[in-house]
Amino acid sequence: MMLHLLLTATLSLSTPGAPAALTPEPHFAQDPVEVEEEEPAPLEEWPAADKDTTKLISKELGRVRKAGTPEMAEGGRDALIEIGDAAGPALLKALEKERKEEARERIAEVLVALTDRRHSRLFAAEFDSKSEHVRLFALERASTFPDPAIRKQAEAAFAAAKEREGTKKEVKHELYFAALALCSSGSIEGLDVLHARALEDWGKCGQQVRAAIEALRGPEASERVAALLDASDRKATVAALRLLAGCGTKESAGPLVKPLLDSPDNSIRVAAINAARGIVDGEPPLDRLPVFEAVELANKWKARL
């Protein structure tokens, strides 16, 4: 009987007019569909901590602040990081009240470890904090994550910092951090301050500035920086080229950079090469380049701009 059924099925598949349902459908392998990961939604408030978690945060924060031994500080830090951003408000309050600089640095380290771009607007809410330490931290941290939504608070912070501008070290830092936050929000109004800082100490601030001004890439920022390209001032020109690497485009900044690739001053030539690298390929700057190598690279970049 089984053999009969098999033969019948075979004949029906090869006989004209046989039911189409008996014919197996061909199967084709398909490429996997790439699903883009969505950016995490910005937070409008810190996650709430229940009663037990609040007690634990207080305990571990005490270990971080007192830190009788390195192990004590490390244990408290790790525990708070494990708790997550629900510890944020307590850490900011501790940063405000703590008088010892080393303890503030440990608190700030934990805050950095448990926050990311989701928290930019929460830090923007601290831009007008009465605590200088909280303001400085919030401005610097928020500038790490470009977010147009913090523009209004960044503009107010920048204006307030300019009013307080003076010789005091903290005020200088605040104006710089406010400029970073403002530029990272998409406003070019902080570029002059960042150019001044690039003139002073690019080695320390370079990466930070470059990250903040990436949000400005376009003709408006290129035009603003173009005014800082001073042929009579080598340092000002080098600093401006370093900014163009982060905020210029090939169309808007290429014509500004290209002539400087022929500069007889190797520091300007190297800065122009690095500007071209950033503008065209988004690449970080190269460190010191020997003159002969710089000339060769400059010729290659002239052909690409």
Side-chain angles (χ1 to χ4, degrees):
M1 177 65 71
M2 180 63 70
L3 178 60
H4 173 71
L5 290 173
L6 288 171
L7 286 171
T8 302
T10 303
L11 287 170
S12 66
L13 286 172
S14 59
T15 304
L22 293 175
T23 305
E25 290 290 330
H27 174 74
F28 299 101
Q30 295 183 349
D31 293 332
V33 178
E34 291 187 9
V35 180
E36 291 187 8
E37 292 186 14
E38 292 185 6
E39 287 283 340
L43 296 175
E44 300 299 334
E45 59 183 17
W46 294 97
D50 59 29
K51 188 175 181 180
D52 290 340
T53 304
T54 300
K55 287 183 179 179
L56 183 59
I57 290 170
S58 179
K59 173 188 171 184
E60 301 302 341
L61 184 50
R63 295 173 71 194
V64 170
R65 293 179 74 173
K66 295 174 183 176
T69 64
E71 291 75 20
M72 182 179 178
E74 186 176 340
R77 180 198 66 196
D78 292 347
L80 288 169
I81 292 172
E82 186 174 349
I83 290 169
D85 52 3
L91 285 160
L92 287 169
K93 195 172 187 70
L95 189 63
E96 175 184 349
K97 293 185 174 182
E98 182 57 58
R99 294 186 178 183
K100 295 180 180 178
E101 186 175 353
E102 289 184 0
R104 288 197 301 269
E105 289 176 357
R106 290 192 294 272
I107 293 167
E109 181 188 352
V110 178
L111 269 168
V112 168
L114 55 78
T115 56
D116 53 38
R117 64 177 59 255
R118 294 171 301 157
H119 303 88
S120 61
R121 299 174 193 182
L122 301 180
F123 285 126
E126 304 293 338
F127 287 175
D128 61 352
S129 170
K130 292 181 179 180
S131 166
E132 186 174 74
H133 302 303
V134 172
R135 287 199 312 271
L136 291 176
F137 177 84
L139 287 164
E140 184 178 17
R141 187 62 178 152
S143 73
T144 310
F145 311 111
D147 183 357
I150 70 168
R151 174 90 57 88
K152 187 175 180 181
Q153 293 104 315
E155 287 173 341
F158 186 70
K162 288 201 83 170
E163 284 183 12
R164 289 192 289 268
E165 189 176 4
T167 57
K168 191 178 176 184
K169 184 179 179 182
E170 287 77 7
V171 175
K172 285 186 176 181
H173 281 317
E174 184 164 352
L175 183 61
Y176 166 60
F177 291 143
L180 283 175
L182 185 56
C183 286
S184 76
S185 76
S187 170
I188 65 170
E189 293 308 314
L191 275 174
D192 291 349
V193 171
L194 298 188
H195 179 258
R197 180 54 65 96
L199 271 169
E200 278 182 35
D201 198 355
W202 182 256
K204 286 185 179 179
C205 76
Q207 288 186 335
Q208 200 170 40
V209 169
R210 177 75 179 265
I213 64 177
E214 287 285 349
L216 302 177
R217 272 201 194 279
E220 189 181 16
S222 298
E223 184 178 347
R224 183 66 167 260
V225 177
L228 304 171
L229 289 167
D230 185 349
S232 65
D233 189 332
R234 178 179 61 82
K235 288 185 177 181
T237 297
V238 168
L241 285 167
R242 286 167 170 166
L243 294 185
L244 282 176
C247 67
T249 62
K250 186 175 179 179
E251 295 74 22
S252 61
L256 302 172
V257 173
K258 192 171 183 177
L260 296 174
L261 290 166
D262 286 323
S263 174
D265 186 317
N266 196 52
S267 61
I268 292 177
R269 185 191 294 118
V270 171
I273 290 168
N274 284 329
R277 283 169 55 84
I279 290 165
V280 178
D281 294 333
E283 292 290 333
L286 297 169
D287 285 332
R288 300 170 188 170
L289 285 172
V291 174
F292 70 90
E293 189 176 344
V295 170
E296 185 178 341
L297 276 175
N299 288 331
K300 289 180 179 178
W301 278 109
K302 278 191 290 183
R304 293 190 64 188
L305 286 177

